[in-house]
């Protein structure tokens, strides 16, 4: 009778452990769903940055092309006007020729300075977009690594849950379909990796515990006097 009561208590503890494992799985699934949403959101942000970068590059190229064309047109117009003015006043106003050259030279310098300033502003905007893109890619990689760890943790938890079910004679998941069989193989791989990692840790710990007394005994032996003169 006592054995039966003990078995019942053990079964109740196992059921509680199973319920706790299921709760942990639900939390992991919620975390995975949240991470997937974050990854998708970051992916959209990166895509938006890329699209904005391409748009700014196109705008910059168009602005530069328009500015160059406008400057060329204005320079040509100014030079033509200047040539006409020179032709008209060359005979009567020789001194004004030098003044006109200076005025038109200043106009050209001002236009070129404006073009350089606009080019620098466009380059600064491009650098900012490149930095934002790099940061978004870094965050995406970090979230991907977190997602992969959670995925591996879920696989390991599922494997432990199925092992507990099997141990206590509960119904396990149906792995007869191809997709579920692949899931079973992934769970097996996760358990195998855990076993290998824990086995290495245990082996190193046992080796240290075994070698430490031997090293201590050898050290004491070396310190003892020989006793012979």
């Amino acid at each position: 009778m006592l054995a039966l009561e003990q078995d019942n208590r053990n079964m109740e503890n196992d059921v509680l452990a199973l319920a706790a494992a299921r709760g942990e799985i639900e939390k992991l699934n919620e975390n995975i769903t949240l991470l997937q949403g974050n990854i998708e959101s970051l992916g959209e942000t990166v895509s938006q940055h890329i699209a904005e970068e391409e748009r700014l590059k196109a705008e910059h190229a168009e602005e530069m092309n328009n500015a160059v064309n406008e400057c060329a047109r204005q320079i040509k117009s100014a030079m033509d006007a200047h040539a006409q003015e020179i032709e008209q006043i060359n005979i009567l106003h020789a001194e004004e020729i030098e003044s006109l050259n200076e005025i038109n030279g200043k106009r050209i310098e001002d236009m070129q300075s404006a073009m350089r300033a606009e080019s620098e502003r466009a380059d600064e905007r491009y650098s900012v977009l490149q930095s934002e893109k790099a940061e978004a890619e870094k965050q995406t990689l970090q979230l991907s690594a977190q997602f992969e760890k959670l995925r591996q943790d879920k696989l390991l938890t599922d494997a432990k849950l199925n092992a507990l079910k099997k141990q206590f004679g509960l119904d396990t998941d149906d792995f007869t379909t191809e997709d579920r069989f692949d899931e079973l193989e992934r769970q097996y791989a996760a358990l195998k990796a855990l076993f290998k990692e824990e086995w290495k840790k245990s082996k190193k710990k046992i080796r240290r515990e075994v070698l430490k007394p031997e090293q201590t005994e050898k050290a004491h032996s070396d310190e003892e006097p020989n006793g012979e003169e």
Side-chain angles (χ1 to χ4, degrees):
M1 190 65 177
L2 292 175
L4 181 59
E5 290 178 355
Q6 182 64 37
D7 290 340
N8 288 335
R9 283 195 296 271
N10 291 337
M11 182 63 70
E12 289 176 356
N13 292 334
D14 292 337
V15 170
L16 291 175
L18 182 60
R22 286 176 175 168
E24 185 65 24
I25 289 173
E26 291 178 358
K27 290 180 181 179
L28 284 173
N29 286 331
E30 291 176 358
N31 289 336
I32 289 172
T33 300
L34 179 61
L35 278 175
Q36 286 175 337
N38 290 338
I39 290 173
E40 292 174 359
S41 177
L42 274 176
E44 292 176 359
T45 301
V46 172
S47 299
Q48 291 174 359
H49 282 319
I50 293 174
E52 180 65 13
E53 178 186 341
E54 294 298 327
R55 185 184 68 79
L56 285 176
K57 286 170 65 177
E59 287 182 0
H60 174 56
E62 183 178 0
E63 289 172 0
M64 289 293 294
N65 186 56
N66 291 337
V68 169
N69 291 336
E70 179 62 18
C71 284
R73 186 191 65 78
Q74 292 181 10
I75 290 171
K76 184 177 183 303
S77 176
M79 291 179 68
D80 292 341
H82 178 51
Q84 291 176 2
E85 290 173 356
I86 289 177
E87 289 177 358
Q88 292 174 2
I89 65 173
N90 189 36
I91 298 175
L92 300 176
H93 305 285
E95 293 181 356
E96 293 182 3
I97 293 176
E98 184 176 357
S99 176
L100 286 173
N101 284 331
E102 292 177 356
I103 292 173
N104 284 283
K106 185 65 170 58
R107 288 178 184 175
I108 293 172
E109 289 177 359
D110 292 340
M111 292 175 187
Q112 290 175 341
S113 297
M115 287 176 60
R116 286 193 297 269
E118 181 58 28
S119 178
E120 290 173 358
R121 286 193 294 270
D123 289 340
E124 290 175 358
R125 292 198 297 270
Y126 179 77
S127 297
V128 170
L129 280 175
Q130 287 292 95
S131 299
E132 292 176 352
K133 177 185 175 184
E135 181 62 24
E137 290 175 348
K138 179 181 178 181
Q139 293 179 0
T140 300
L141 289 176
Q142 291 175 347
L143 284 175
S144 297
Q146 294 176 5
F147 173 76
E148 180 61 23
K149 183 180 184 303
L150 283 176
R151 191 180 71 84
Q152 290 296 328
D153 290 344
K154 181 180 181 300
L155 282 174
L156 186 58
T157 303
D158 289 342
K160 290 179 179 179
L161 177 59
N162 286 320
L164 285 173
K165 288 180 178 179
K166 188 68 176 177
Q167 180 180 354
F168 296 106
L170 301 177
D171 291 335
T172 58
D173 296 338
D174 182 14
F175 295 102
T176 56
T177 64
E178 183 177 355
D179 291 341
R180 295 298 295 155
F181 181 76
D182 291 341
E183 176 68 13
L184 180 61
E185 286 189 329
R186 287 191 290 270
Q187 292 181 18
Y188 172 74
L191 276 176
K192 187 177 180 181
L194 175 64
F195 171 79
K196 186 176 181 180
E197 180 180 354
E198 294 300 325
W199 181 83
K200 287 182 178 179
K201 291 179 181 178
S202 299
K203 185 177 179 181
K204 289 181 180 178
K205 182 178 179 181
I206 292 172
R207 181 177 295 174
R208 286 196 301 268
E209 291 176 355
V210 170
L211 292 178
K212 186 176 181 180
E214 294 179 358
Q215 293 173 352
T216 303
E217 182 178 351
K218 185 177 183 302
H220 286 305
S221 176
D222 292 340
E223 292 174 358
E224 291 179 359
N226 193 2
E228 295 179 3
E229 295 183 0

